[in-house]
Every structure is written in structure tokens, then in C-alpha cells.
Amino acid sequence: MSQADVPSGDVQARIARLFVHPVKSCGRVEVREALVTETGLDLDRAWMVVDSQGTFLTQRQLPRMALIQPQIKALEVVLRAPGMLALHLGINEVESPATVRVWKDEVAAWDMGNLAGQWFSDFLGQPGLRLARFDPDAQRLASKQWTGEVDAPIEFADGFPLLVASEASLAGLNGRLQAAGHEAVGIERFRPNIVLSGVEEHDEDRFDEIRIATGDGLVRVRPVKPCSRCPIPNIDPATAESSPEVLETLRAYRADPRLDGALTFGMNGIVLEGAGRTLRVGDAVGADFWFD
């Protein structure tokens, strides 16, 4: 699409940053472009660490997962962690079928083998860990309570294909943190996929639809549910140490009545149109507000 094709809407914005998190709850990869699929950005939450019973694990239980840094290459994802040799995961390589549990969903997956399992067990200090790859033939859907008539497939994300946040929302939080004598934090603590510029603080909460003009057509994203926050934003991704100030600060102004007072930051979204198209940093965005 050309500049003349900038989507119309109540708000004009841009994609400021894009993030992919290949292994659920491990580090992020900031990218300049990302392929859109029905389940979100390509390779996002495609792998997941599970315990010996096949149940998913995150930074909630194992904060050191934050220190595992991925790199996406043409045919593999490379994981690095302090004191460990790199672990290479072939994007198209799996070893044996498995069944894993993520929240209330039990889904078919592929086990990535003993080497990957031992690597995570050694670094995270917990025996019996395995690494699973989502089975593309399996189907896991986002909650129809929030998606309505739309079937929105997901892989190992907590609940929805995409998470959208904005630079302005982070700036608002950081202003409050610094006023209270705390350090500013990075957007990576909130694990978004798409970060918008050119909007006001928490405008994303009230968007009915987000339209993104890509080089090969329109991508339409519907924000459907505010993202309620567990303790992970308190974890410093550089050190894996947790301190309470982020959630304590959000508690003063981000208790969301739509979720019984849960603290929210960012919006979960679903893909309405555009699977197979590529988002790029700088893409033009148009969005309309919804009103009760």
C-alpha cells in the first residue's frame, strides 16, 4: 500500500515496534517485520517449556526464564542463556508427539527431544523439564466469551493471538514510576507484539478495530479483551529479579472494572483479516474508537 492508502479512522498512528516471543515466557526478539498468521505473529509462542507432567511453566514459577534470549535465523531459533552453550532449534524439526497443558487446554504438541529438555532443566534448576512445539494440526481457540462469533486460533499464548500496547501508555507508567522515585521500565516487561506510536495514553483500550496498511494489503485486528497482569511485569528481564513497584504503580490507576478490578495494560487482539501479510515498523495504522 502507498501513503495514499493510509487507513482512515478516529486515530492515525504508526507501528513503532514489533516483538516475537518464540518460547513462551522466555526473552523476546525485536524485529523490523513480522509475518501475520491466524494465530498471531509467525513463531510467536510456538514453543513452550513444560514440567514432567506436561504442564506449562512461565516466569511466574521460574523467573530465570527471562534470561533466556532467543535469536531467529532463517531455519532455526537459537537460544542463549548465561553459562550455557547455545541451543539450536530447527524451525521445521521435532522429535516425538506429546500432549501438553496450557491453562485449561490440553493440546497436541511435539516434544523437542532430550537435549532441549536437559538444557532447560540445567539452566532453570528443575529436573524433568521438556520443550514442546505446538502441533500445527491441533486447534486451540481464544475464549469465545471475548471473541464473539469469531473463531480465533492460538498457539501457546496465554489466551489471544496478539497483544497491542502503545508508547504513550508506557510513558504514562514511567512518569508515575519516576515521580515515586523508581526507575523507568521497558515495554518488554509487558510482552507485547505490536507497539503503536502517535496515540494517547491507553487509547488502545478503546479501539474498536485497528487497520494496518502493509506493503501487500490490509491487516485488520480487533482488540477484544484488556490484558490483565500477573506478577511478570515486576520481573526485570535483564536480571530476573522481581520487585513490586510496577504493579503497585498500576494499582493506583489501572484497576479495570471490566475484569473485576484486575490491573490491565495493553489489549489482547484477534486477526480479522491479513493472514499471510507482513507487518513492518513504520506501517500506517488507522483505528476507530468504540463507545458504550
Side-chain angles (χ1 to χ4, degrees):
M1 285 191 172
S2 67
Q3 186 67 26
D5 296 316
V6 172
S8 62
D10 297 329
V11 173
Q12 303 294 311
R14 295 277 174 182
I15 294 180
R17 304 176 76 178
L18 290 167
F19 293 96
V20 175
H21 308 81
V23 182
K24 182 178 179 68
S25 217
C26 292
R28 78 285 178 193
V29 180
E30 185 164 7
V31 296
R32 299 292 300 176
E33 60 182 50
L35 179 68
V36 178
T37 72
E38 288 185 338
T39 60
L41 300 187
D42 188 36
L43 298 183
D44 191 65
R45 279 85 169 188
W47 291 267
M48 181 173 74
V49 182
V50 300
D51 64 16
S52 59
Q53 305 302 309
T55 300
F56 80 113
L57 294 167
T58 71
Q59 292 180 39
R60 301 169 183 87
Q61 301 91 9
L62 299 169
R64 278 169 58 84
M65 291 179 74
L67 301 178
I68 299 172
Q69 294 301 316
Q71 180 183 10
I72 299 174
K73 296 190 174 182
L75 298 175
E76 64 180 7
V77 171
V78 182
L79 303 179
R80 294 183 171 85
M84 302 290 291
L85 295 175
L87 177 65
H88 294 254
L89 304 174
I91 287 175
N92 297 313
E93 295 176 9
V94 294
E95 290 218 1
S96 58
T99 300
V100 298
R101 177 172 291 277
V102 51
W103 296 111
K104 296 180 180 179
D105 297 328
E106 196 167 273
V107 295
W110 291 93
D111 186 274
M112 295 301 295
N114 292 334
L115 178 63
Q118 193 62 52
W119 191 91
F120 279 92
S121 293
D122 289 347
F123 181 67
L124 296 173
Q126 180 168 322
L129 300 185
R130 308 297 294 183
L131 183 66
R133 175 75 189 267
F134 193 86
D135 184 342
D137 291 330
Q139 186 179 64
R140 179 173 175 242
L141 295 178
S143 169
K144 295 296 284 288
Q145 175 186 351
W146 296 97
T147 66
E149 77 285 359
V150 180
D151 285 337
I154 51 177
E155 294 196 353
F156 288 139
D158 273 354
F160 296 89
L162 293 167
L163 181 64
V164 180
S166 70
E167 291 183 327
S169 299
L170 181 68
L173 169 62
N174 280 332
R176 291 170 173 88
L177 282 167
Q178 291 172 315
H182 303 299
E183 295 288 330
V185 298
I187 196 68
E188 63 273 8
R189 292 199 186 212
F190 296 94
R191 308 181 66 77
N193 299 115
I194 301 171
V195 182
L196 300 177
S197 62
V199 303
E200 298 297 319
E201 183 178 353
H202 297 295
D203 269 355
E204 60 269 27
D205 289 5
R206 301 182 293 125
F207 288 158
D208 180 56
E209 184 176 292
I210 298 170
R211 295 176 294 278
I212 306 167
T214 75
D216 46 0
L218 192 69
V219 172
R220 295 168 55 226
V221 173
R222 177 183 294 166
V224 293
K225 179 180 181 290
C227 186
S228 57
R229 290 300 171 172
C230 67
I232 287 179
N234 281 337
I235 299 173
D236 185 339
T239 65
E241 295 178 357
S242 181
S243 52
E245 60 266 15
V246 174
L247 290 187
E248 285 183 352
T249 302
L250 288 175
R251 188 167 289 111
Y253 73 109
R254 290 297 298 168
D256 197 315
R258 291 173 289 181
L259 297 176
D260 298 323
L263 307 182
T264 64
F265 188 102
M267 287 292 292
N268 293 297
I270 61 176
V271 179
L272 296 180
E273 178 187 347
R277 293 170 181 157
T278 299
L279 300 182
R280 294 174 177 84
V281 171
D283 279 349
V285 176
D288 293 324
F289 291 120
W290 61 263
F291 297 94
D292 288 333

